Amino acid sequence: MSVTYLEAIREAQARLLREDERVFIYGQDIAGKFGGAFKATKGLAEQFPGRVLNTPISEDAMVGTAIGAAMEGMRPIVEMQFADFSSIALNQILNNAGTHYYRTSVPVPITVRLPSGGTKGSGPFHSQSMEGLYSHYPGLVVVTPATVEDAYTMLIDAVQIDDPVVYCEHKYLYYHLKAEALPDDKLPIGKARIVRPGRDLSIVTYSAMVHEALGVANELSPDGWEVEVVDLRSVKPLDTDTVLASVARTGKLLCVGEAFPWGGVTAEVVARVASEGFHLLDAAPARVNAKDTPIPYHPNLWSEHRPNKSSIAAKARQILAE
Amino acid sequence: MSVTYLEAIREAQARLLREDERVFIYGQDIAGKFGGAFKATKGLAEQFPGRVLNTPISEDAMVGTAIGAAMEGMRPIVEMQFADFSSIALNQILNNAGTHYYRTSVPVPITVRLPSGGTKGSGPFHSQSMEGLYSHYPGLVVVTPATVEDAYTMLIDAVQIDDPVVYCEHKYLYYHLKAEALPDDKLPIGKARIVRPGRDLSIVTYSAMVHEALGVANELSPDGWEVEVVDLRSVKPLDTDTVLASVARTGKLLCVGEAFPWGGVTAEVVARVASEGFHLLDAAPARVNAKDTPIPYHPNLWSEHRPNKSSIAAKARQILAE
Amino acid sequence: MLETAERGASSSTKAPPHERYLEAFRWMLTARVLEEKLASLYRGGMIVGGVYLGRGQEAISAACGMFLDKSKGDLFAPLIRDQAGRSAFGEPLLDVVRTYLGSAKGPMRGRDGNIHRGRPREGQLAMISHLGAMISVLVGRLMAKRMRGEKGFVGLTTIGEGGMQTGATHEGMNIAAVEQVPLVVVATNNHYAYSTPNDREFACAALVDRAKAYGYEGATVDGTDLAACLDVIGGAVKRARAGRPPQLVVAEILRLAGHGEHDDASYVAPEIKKESFAQDALQRAEKLILDEGLLGREGLQQMRAQIAAEVDAAVATAQQEDAPHASEEDWSALSTRELADQFA
Amino acid sequence: MLETAERGASSSTKAPPHERYLEAFRWMLTARVLEEKLASLYRGGMIVGGVYLGRGQEAISAACGMFLDKSKGDLFAPLIRDQAGRSAFGEPLLDVVRTYLGSAKGPMRGRDGNIHRGRPREGQLAMISHLGAMISVLVGRLMAKRMRGEKGFVGLTTIGEGGMQTGATHEGMNIAAVEQVPLVVVATNNHYAYSTPNDREFACAALVDRAKAYGYEGATVDGTDLAACLDVIGGAVKRARAGRPPQLVVAEILRLAGHGEHDDASYVAPEIKKESFAQDALQRAEKLILDEGLLGREGLQQMRAQIAAEVDAAVATAQQEDAPHASEEDWSALSTRELADQFA
Ligand SMILES: Cc1ncc(C[n+]2csc(CCOP(=O)(O)OP(=O)(O)O)c2C)c(N)n1
Ligand SMILES: Cc1ncc(C[n+]2csc(CCOP(=O)(O)OP(=O)(O)O)c2C)c(N)n1
Ligand SMILES: [Mg+2]
Ligand SMILES: [Mg+2]
C-alpha cells in the first residue's frame, strides 16, 4: 500500500470527521460525488452526511461562517479551491479570525486549507504561495507540510489547535509524493525537522522546495559537500532554535522559498539568523526565491521563475566556495 | 507660513488636479465640503468639480474602477478611509493592478493612498501598517513618506509613475509634522535619504519611526554615540545601495518599523544587508518592530505595542555595546 | 409589515401589547441618557478613541434587542448605533462605560475599544470595523447551533445603508439564504454613510428590494415610530424563529448626530431635516407613552432620573478602576501560548 | 424583453433583422469548431493549462459580442465561456490558438494563459480569475471615457450565476448604478458553478430580481434561442447606449460541457438534461437558419468547412511559432524599469 500527499489530506479529514463530531468541512465543490477540485474530500460527503458542505463562490462568507461556527465550539475546515482565491477571504482571516482571541478571550479554532504553489501551466492566479501574507499578521498559525506524513499529522493537529490555522498544502506534491503508510507518531506543529544532516551548509526551506533542496544536496554530495536540509514545517511559529542549531553546525545558511522575493519566509529566517546567530555564520547568508513578477503561465517561463535545482545549486556552490 | 504633512498631501493633490487633467480622486467622504475623514481633500471637490468623487463603501470596486480608468489613460488617486480597510481591496491591488502590466503590457497608473499607522486610541482596525503585504507581491511601488516635503513630492511622483503605487501616509504625522514651505526640489522615489549622519550605528527606518529614531539618535549623542539615521522613503523598491553604504560607514545596523514583527520591511532590510553586506557588519544586525498581537486600543498598551524611543534606544545601546 | 418586496409598502402600526411600549421606551431612554453622558465625557476629554451615537435610531435598536432571548440561545451582532438594542439584549451599563473609560475590567480589557465591545460567549458578538464582516460570522454561529441540534433560536444583526454596499454584506446575506438559517437583518437607512448621502451609495429605488434578490422576506418600517418598529422587527424575529427564510427589515430615519462625536455633520442638507423620517424617535415614543397613559410626565421624569443615576453610578465605578497596564500583558494573540512565535 | 424584474416573465422572440441570424450563427459555429479543435488538442496533450469551453452558451455569447462596435469605443469584458462573443467582437483566431499553444506571439506572450487573454487597448479586457473582479474595472473604463467627453459607447461584461455571489460582483454592479455608466451585464445561469448546483449557490426565486435591487433594468432570456438572445441582449445594449440605467440580462441554459475539459461533469443530474433550457443552442440556431431559408444544408456544410480550414490554418501557424524563452525575459512587473526592485 502507498499513500499520496493528497490521500493523506483526505485521510486526515476522514479521521477528523470520524473521531470529532465538532468537525465539518466547508468549501466550493467539495461535496457530492465530486469531492473537490483536487479530490481532497472525495467520498467524505457520502460517508459523513451533512458535514461536508458546498458553498457559494463567496470566500469572505465561507471563512466568516467558519469563524462563527468555531465560536460556537465547532471545528470547521475551510477548503479554498486555490490559495490564490483566499485573497477574497483575507480580511476575515486577518482581521476577524486573527484578532478575535486577543480582543475577546474567545478563541477561533478554524483551519483554512490553501492549495498552494506552482504547477505547470497554472499561471498567475492558480499558483500562489501566500504563507508570507498570513504570517505577517498576528493571531494565526501557518503551516506548510512538505511530506505525506506531515500533511497527515499536521492537518489533524491544525484542527485540534484552539487557534486559527492556515494550512498551506502544496499542489505539486499532491500526486508526486508517496509514502508507505500513514504515520503513527509525529513531530508537533512549531518544530522544524532536519531532513538530511550535513556539516557544510544549511539549506532551510519548506513545502515543495524541501524536495528541490534534497535534490541539490544529493547533487553536491559527490563533490564532497555535506549539505544539511532543514524543513521548517511551520513558518509561524518559526522554529528558530532548530535553524540556529543547524547553522551552528554548518556555519552557512541558504534559505529557499517558492514565494515572491520581497519579504516572506526567507527574509524572516535570514533576518532571525543574522540577528540571533550572527556569530555562528562563517559566510553571508543567502536566499533563493521566485522572481518578482506574477507567476508565468508558460512552463518555459515558470520553470525559471520559481527556484529550481539549478538556481539553488548555483547559489549553494557560491556560498560553499566562500 | 508653515505646512503640515496633511496639508502637503492636500496641496500635492490640488496641484495634480490643476496641472494634469487625467487626475481624479475617488474615495469615501472625500467630496463636498466635507473633504475626507482626515480632510486630505478639503476644498478640492469645490475647486475641481466632477473630479473628486464620493464612492459607496466598496473598497474592492473603488480600486477596480480606478484600475479601469487608468487603463483608459486617467491617473486616479484612490483614498482609503483607513489603510486597514484596504484589506477589502487587496485582491484588486495585488491581483489586478499588480499583474496587469506584466500580463498585457498595458500599465495601470493608479495611486492608492493608505492613511496608515497607529495613533492614540485607534485600536486594531484603524492603526495598521500594510506596506509589508503590498511589497511582498510583484508589480507595485510602495512608498512611505516620513516628512512634509516627501509627502508632497512623492505623491506627485506617485501619480506620474506609469505603474501602480501604494502611498502609505502616516496619520500620526498629519498634524504633528510641519515644514516651512513646500519643497522646490526632491529626491526621486526609489532613493533612501541619510537624515542624520553618524559613524557608530545605522538606524534604518521609514515613515513615523524616522522621528523616533532621530529622537534616539539625539538621546545617545551626549554619551558620545553618533547614530546615523536612514529614511528608506520607498520600501519597494528598497534602496539597498544607500543602506549598505551607511552600514559600511557604521558597521552596525538596527532596523525599525511600526508594523508587525514577522516579515515585513525590517526583515527584508536585515536579510539584504546580511546577504549583500555581511562583511560590512561588525555586530549582529537587529530589529525593533511592533508586538505580535493586534494593535491595542488603550494608550497604555498601544504605547508599548509599537516601537518607541525607549525600546529603540535600549536595542541601540545593546548593539553599540557589542 | 411583511411584504415580498413591493416598493413603497408602508409599515403597519398594528399595536403590540402595551406593556412592551414601556419596556421599549425604557431601553430607548437608557441609550439616550447613557450616550448623552458619553458625549459629555468625550467633550471633556475623558474618553480615548471615538464615540459613535445611535441618536434617532433608538426605536429600531430597542426593537432589535427586545425580541431576542438569551435563554433561547438567541444571538445579537450589533454595530455602532445599537446602544438601545445592546441594553435590551442584556448588556450591563458597566460593560459600556468600562470600555469607553478604558477600565481594565471592561469586556475588551483595553485591547479593543468602545463600539467593538461584545461578549461572544453570552451571545453578543464583538464587531470588527469592516462593515458587513459580522453577517457571515453570525450565520456560522446559527449553523453550528443547528448542527448541534439546538432549536428555536434566532440571530439578529444590524447594518447601515452604507454597509449594505460592501461585498461582505452581499456574500453574508446570500450564504444565509443558502443555509436557510434563522437570521434577521435590520438595515437602517439613516440617509448618510458618514458624510455621503444616499445618491452616492446606491441607485435602487428601495433597499428592501434586496430581500427578494437574496430570497429573504422583506419589510420596511418607519424607524421613528416605536410601535411600528416593535411590530415589524418583532414580526421578523418571530418569522425567523418559526423557520421562515431569512428576514430583511429596512428602516428609515435620519441620523440625528454626527457620524461620531468628532463630526458636526454640517454636510447634512437642511431640507432633509424637515422630512418625516427626520423626527426624533424618542420624542415620538415619549408622546406615545403619554398618549397611551402608560406613564405621566412625572413618571417619565422619574424614569429619566433613575436611568441617569444608574449611568452615573456606572461611570463613578469605572472611573475608580485601573487602566490596563502593559506590564501585565503577555502579548499573545494565540490562546495556545506554546505556539506563539518568539521574537528576539 | 425589458422588464422591471417581474419574476418569470419570458423572453420575447420578436425577430430581429434576418441578416443578423446568419452573422450570429457564423460566430456560434466559429466558437464551436474552434473549441472542438482546442478540446482535441487538449486530449492530445498539446495544450498547457486548462481548456474551458462555452459549449451550449454560443447564442448568448455571440449576441454579447455582436452589438458592440469598436469604432464606437465599445468595451467587452468576457469570461471563460465567451469564445463566440470574443470572435464577434473581433478577436483573431490566431490570438486564441497562439495563447493555447503557448506561442510567444500570443497576446499574453506566455505570461498568462488561455482564457485570460485580452487586448485591453483594443477594448477587450484581460480577465483575472477572481470572479466579479472585472466588473468594476469595466465601470472605471466607462467612467474615464465619459470624463474625456466621449459619447455613444457601451461596455458589456458577462458573469455566471456562481460568480454573481461574489462580493466583487456586488460592489461592481452597485457602483455601476451609482455612476450610471452605460453598462450591460449578461449573466448566464447554466445551472452549475463547476460541480455546484443552483441550490447551493443562491436562494432567490429569480436572479433577475438582482436588477431591481441595484437599480438596473432587468430582462430574462432563453439562452438556447438565438433569436431571443439577439433581441434581448441587443435591446439591452441599445438601451445602455441610449443612456438608460445599467442593464442586467439573465440567460438560462445548461452547461453542455465539463467545467473544463479535465472534468467529465458526471455530477450533472440526468433529469436536468431533459429540461428545455438544456437544448443545444447551436442545433436550434441551425434549424432556424434552415427554416428561415438563410442557408441550405450544403451552405451549412460549406460554412463549417471554411471555419474548420481557418481554424486549422491558425493552428498550423501557431504550432510553427516559438514558445517564449526565459532567457529573453527581463523579469519586470513594472513598466518603469528603473523602479524595479533589485534582488541579489
Ligand atoms: C469596509 C469598510 N470601509 C470603510 C469603513 C469606515 N466607515 C465606518 S462607519 C462608515 C459609514 C457607515 O455608514 P452606514 O453603513 O450607512 O452606517 P451609519 O453610520 O449611517 O449608521 C464608514 C465609511 C468601514 N467601517 N468599513
Ligand atoms: C473568487 C473565485 N473563487 C473561486 C474561483 C474558482 N472557479 C473558477 S470558475 C468557477 C465556477 C464558476 O461558476 P459560474 O460563475 O456559474 O460560471 P460557469 O463556469 O458556470 O460559466 C469557480 C468556482 C474563482 N475563479 N474565483
Ligand atoms: Mg447610514
Ligand atoms: Mg454557472
Side-chain angles (χ1 to χ4, degrees), chain B residues 26 60 72 103 163 272, chain D residues 112 127 141 148 179 336:
Chain B
Y26 210 48
D60 183 278
E72 284 286 331
R103 294 165 59 237
D163 295 290
R272 287 195 194 190
Chain D
D112 201 351
M127 64 173 277
R141 291 192 69 166
R148 284 203 316 251
E179 299 294 359
T336 318

Side-chain angles (χ1 to χ4, degrees), chain A:
Chain A
M1 199 203 89
S2 85
V3 194
T4 65
Y5 183 93
L6 179 64
E7 284 162 352
I9 292 169
R10 185 162 61 229
E11 286 309 313
Q13 293 180 111
R15 178 166 155 193
L16 285 160
L17 286 163
R18 201 162 49 235
E19 296 180 0
D20 189 343
E21 60 183 14
R22 302 170 305 171
V23 173
F24 71 99
I25 315 184
Y26 209 50
Q28 291 157 27
D29 302 298
I30 62 171
K33 287 199 200 321
F34 190 67
F38 296 101
K39 310 297 165 213
T41 55
K42 184 100 187 155
L44 299 183
E46 286 125 320
Q47 220 179 316
F48 303 98
R51 295 174 64 197
V52 181
L53 301 170
N54 277 349
T55 64
I57 307 177
S58 299
E59 285 79 6
D60 183 277
M62 284 158 56
V63 172
T65 300
I67 291 170
M71 281 181 205
E72 285 287 331
M74 303 298 282
R75 297 273 156 156
I77 300 171
V78 176
E79 177 180 304
M80 290 287 153
Q81 198 150 75
F82 286 82
D84 317 50
F85 299 127
S86 76
S87 56
I88 310 295
L90 180 129
N91 184 59
Q92 290 284 6
I93 298 173
L94 299 185
N95 284 318
N96 226 339
T99 69
H100 199 262
Y101 170 74
Y102 181 73
R103 293 164 59 236
T104 66
S105 304
V106 177
V108 175
I110 64 169
T111 300
V112 183
R113 286 182 38 230
L114 304 188
S116 303
T119 51
K120 214 172 92 174
S122 295
F125 310 117
H126 293 76
S127 305
Q128 294 174 20
S129 298
M130 298 180 67
E131 58 280 352
L133 295 189
Y134 294 113
S135 296
H136 182 46
Y137 265 55
L140 306 168
V141 172
V142 183
V143 303
T144 53
T147 67
V148 176
E149 293 81 356
D150 277 353
Y152 183 73
T153 67
M154 290 173 88
L155 183 49
I156 291 171
D157 284 355
V159 173
Q160 280 162 357
I161 288 170
D162 283 341
D163 295 290
V165 180
V166 177
Y167 176 95
C168 306
E169 53 197 60
H170 201 293
K171 299 191 300 290
Y172 183 81
L173 303 180
Y174 276 167
Y175 318 100
H176 282 79
L177 219 57
K178 289 200 175 77
E180 281 312 298
L182 292 173
D184 294 323
D185 56 0
K186 63 169 192 193
L187 206 58
I189 284 177
K191 294 275 168 249
R193 177 191 282 123
I194 312 291
V195 258
R196 184 191 202 278
R199 52 154 206 263
D200 298 320
L201 167 67
S202 301
I203 302 189
V204 175
T205 184
Y206 62 102
S207 193
M209 286 295 143
V210 168
H211 306 281
E212 304 288 326
L214 284 170
V216 168
N218 289 336
E219 186 186 316
L220 297 188
S221 162
D223 297 348
W225 299 117
E226 289 302 330
V227 173
E228 178 150 312
V229 177
V230 181
D231 175 4
L232 290 170
R233 299 178 71 251
S234 76
V235 299
K236 190 168 187 188
L238 215 154
D239 182 359
T240 318
D241 289 347
T242 298
V243 172
L244 288 176
S246 176
V247 175
R249 276 189 292 278
T250 63
K252 292 180 173 179
L253 170 68
L254 173 60
C255 193
V256 179
E258 188 181 325
F260 298 121
W262 193 107
V265 175
T266 61
E268 183 63 23
V269 170
V270 171
R272 286 195 196 190
V273 172
S275 295
E276 300 173 45
F278 186 65
H279 299 292
L280 306 174
L281 285 165
D282 300 330
R287 298 150 78 190
V288 182
N289 295 304
K291 297 205 191 299
D292 194 32
T293 71
I295 299 151
Y297 147 77
H298 197 285
N300 286 359
L301 304 181
W302 173 65
S303 57
E304 289 296 304
H305 182 273
R306 72 195 281 264
N308 54 43
K309 282 199 193 68
S310 89
S311 63
I312 301 169
K315 187 67 91 174
R317 284 185 193 280
Q318 194 184 313
I319 305 172
L320 287 165
E322 265 188 49

Side-chain angles (χ1 to χ4, degrees), chain B residues 28 57 59 81 85, chain C residues 81 129 131 160-163 190 192-193 259:
Chain B
Q28 291 157 27
I57 307 177
E59 284 80 6
Q81 197 149 77
F85 298 127
Chain C
R81 309 205 189 277
S129 293
L131 292 165
E161 87 292 344
N190 62 10
Y192 285 88
H259 173 61

Side-chain angles (χ1 to χ4, degrees), chain A residues 28-29 37 55-60 62 80-82 84-88 125-126, chain B residues 91, chain C residues 171, chain D residues 52-54 57 79-81 116 127-133 159-168 188-196 198 201-202 253 255 258-260:
Chain A
Q28 291 157 27
D29 302 298
T55 64
I57 307 177
S58 299
E59 285 79 6
D60 183 277
M62 284 158 56
M80 290 287 153
Q81 198 150 75
F82 286 82
D84 317 50
F85 299 127
S86 76
S87 56
I88 310 295
F125 310 117
H126 293 76
Chain B
N91 184 60
Chain C
E171 295 194 1
Chain D
Y52 298 83
L53 304 187
Q57 205 145 321
L79 287 185
I80 63 176
R81 309 205 189 278
H116 295 128
M127 64 173 277
I128 66 168
S129 293
H130 302 71
L131 292 165
I159 191 88
E161 87 292 345
M164 285 183 86
Q165 316 316 324
T166 69
T188 298
N189 181 5
N190 60 11
H191 290 82
Y192 285 88
Y194 207 156
S195 76
T196 302
N198 279 186
E201 301 188 77
F202 57 86
I253 59 159
R255 197 186 69 211
H259 173 61

Side-chain angles (χ1 to χ4, degrees), chain C:
Chain C
M1 202 186 98
L2 176 64
E3 49 168 68
T4 46
E6 279 309 304
R7 186 179 309 162
S10 69
S11 56
S12 158
T13 48
K14 188 181 118 263
H18 280 185
E19 63 272 23
R20 300 230 85 176
Y21 285 178
L22 204 54
E23 183 195 341
F25 179 74
R26 191 174 224 289
W27 298 128
M28 292 176 67
L29 192 59
T30 299
R32 183 68 63 95
V33 170
L34 171 58
E35 291 195 338
E36 274 166 4
K37 182 73 184 183
L38 293 172
S40 101
L41 288 166
Y42 177 83
R43 286 189 298 272
M46 309 291 285
I47 288 176
V48 190
V51 169
Y52 298 84
L53 304 187
R55 192 181 182 91
Q57 204 143 323
E58 291 94 343
I60 301 160
S61 185
C64 287
M66 278 175 62
F67 298 98
L68 301 178
D69 184 345
K70 284 188 187 176
S71 74
K72 291 184 176 149
D74 290 348
L75 300 171
F76 185 36
L79 287 184
I80 63 175
R81 309 205 189 277
D82 283 316
Q83 185 55 55
R86 290 171 186 254
S87 293
F89 188 64
E91 182 182 65
L93 286 178
L94 257 178
D95 269 14
V96 189
V97 291
R98 278 176 165 155
T99 311
Y100 277 98
L101 293 169
S103 156
K105 290 189 175 161
M108 312 305 271
R109 299 154 300 148
R111 293 171 172 197
D112 201 351
N114 307 356
I115 232 61
H116 296 128
R117 71 189 181 277
R119 292 200 176 263
R121 290 216 195 283
E122 288 149 47
Q124 185 176 313
L125 281 76
M127 65 174 276
I128 66 167
S129 293
H130 301 72
L131 292 165
M134 300 312 293
I135 300 176
S136 59
V137 174
L138 182 55
V139 171
R141 293 192 68 165
L142 297 171
M143 278 178 67
K145 281 171 170 286
R146 184 171 59 199
M147 286 179 181
R148 284 202 318 251
E150 288 183 41
K151 288 208 164 69
F153 58 87
V154 68
L156 186 148
T157 189
T158 60
I159 191 87
E161 87 292 344
M164 286 183 86
Q165 315 318 324
T166 69
T169 294
H170 175 71
E171 295 194 1
M173 286 189 69
N174 183 65
I175 212 165
V178 168
E179 299 294 359
Q180 286 291 305
V181 286
L183 174 73
V184 180
V185 178
V186 177
T188 298
N189 180 4
N190 62 10
H191 291 82
Y192 285 88
Y194 207 157
S195 77
T196 302
N198 279 187
D199 67 347
R200 293 295 297 171
E201 301 188 76
F202 57 86
C204 56
L207 285 168
V208 74
D209 290 341
R210 301 262 166 103
K212 200 176 173 189
Y214 293 122
Y216 283 41
E217 291 176 346
T220 56
V221 67
D222 173 355
T224 72
D225 178 346
L226 174 60
C229 287
L230 291 170
D231 189 30
V232 175
I233 295 171
V237 171
K238 201 173 200 170
R239 284 190 299 279
R241 204 185 294 285
R244 304 284 312 154
Q247 306 286 316
L248 173 66
V249 176
V250 179
E252 209 159 331
I253 60 159
L254 182 67
R255 197 187 69 211
L256 297 183
H259 173 61
E261 283 306 281
H262 59 281
D263 171 28
D264 67 7
S266 54
Y267 47 78
V268 172
E271 318 83 65
I272 209 172
K273 296 182 183 164
K274 295 176 205 138
E275 297 280 355
S276 114
F277 59 72
Q279 294 172 83
D280 182 348
L282 187 71
Q283 279 173 22
R284 283 195 72 183
E286 198 169 292
K287 187 164 178 315
L288 178 76
I289 297 298
L290 291 169
D291 289 355
E292 296 270 336
L294 296 170
L295 272 185
R297 296 220 165 267
E298 203 171 316
L300 283 177
Q301 270 312 108
Q302 272 172 13
M303 188 190 276
R304 182 180 277 273
Q306 199 191 340
I307 291 169
E310 285 168 21
V311 168
D312 288 344
V315 170
T317 301
Q319 276 177 331
Q320 306 292 321
E321 291 169 357
D322 276 353
H325 285 299
S327 57
E328 285 156 28
E329 285 282 314
D330 77 342
W331 298 109
S332 174
L334 297 179
S335 73
T336 318
R337 289 295 192 278
E338 65 273 22
L339 285 178
D341 208 345
Q342 301 302 321
F343 297 91

Side-chain angles (χ1 to χ4, degrees), chain D residues 155-173:
Chain D
L156 186 149
T157 189
T158 61
I159 191 88
E161 87 292 345
M164 285 183 86
Q165 316 316 324
T166 69
T169 295
H170 175 71
E171 294 193 1
M173 287 190 68

Side-chain angles (χ1 to χ4, degrees), chain D residues 171-184:
Chain D
E171 294 193 1
M173 287 190 68
N174 184 64
I175 213 166
V178 168
E179 299 294 359
Q180 287 291 305
V181 286
L183 174 74
V184 180

Side-chain angles (χ1 to χ4, degrees), chain B residues 290-305:
Chain B
K291 297 203 191 301
D292 194 33
T293 72
I295 300 150
Y297 148 76
H298 198 285
N300 287 358
L301 305 181
W302 173 65
S303 57
E304 288 297 304
H305 183 273

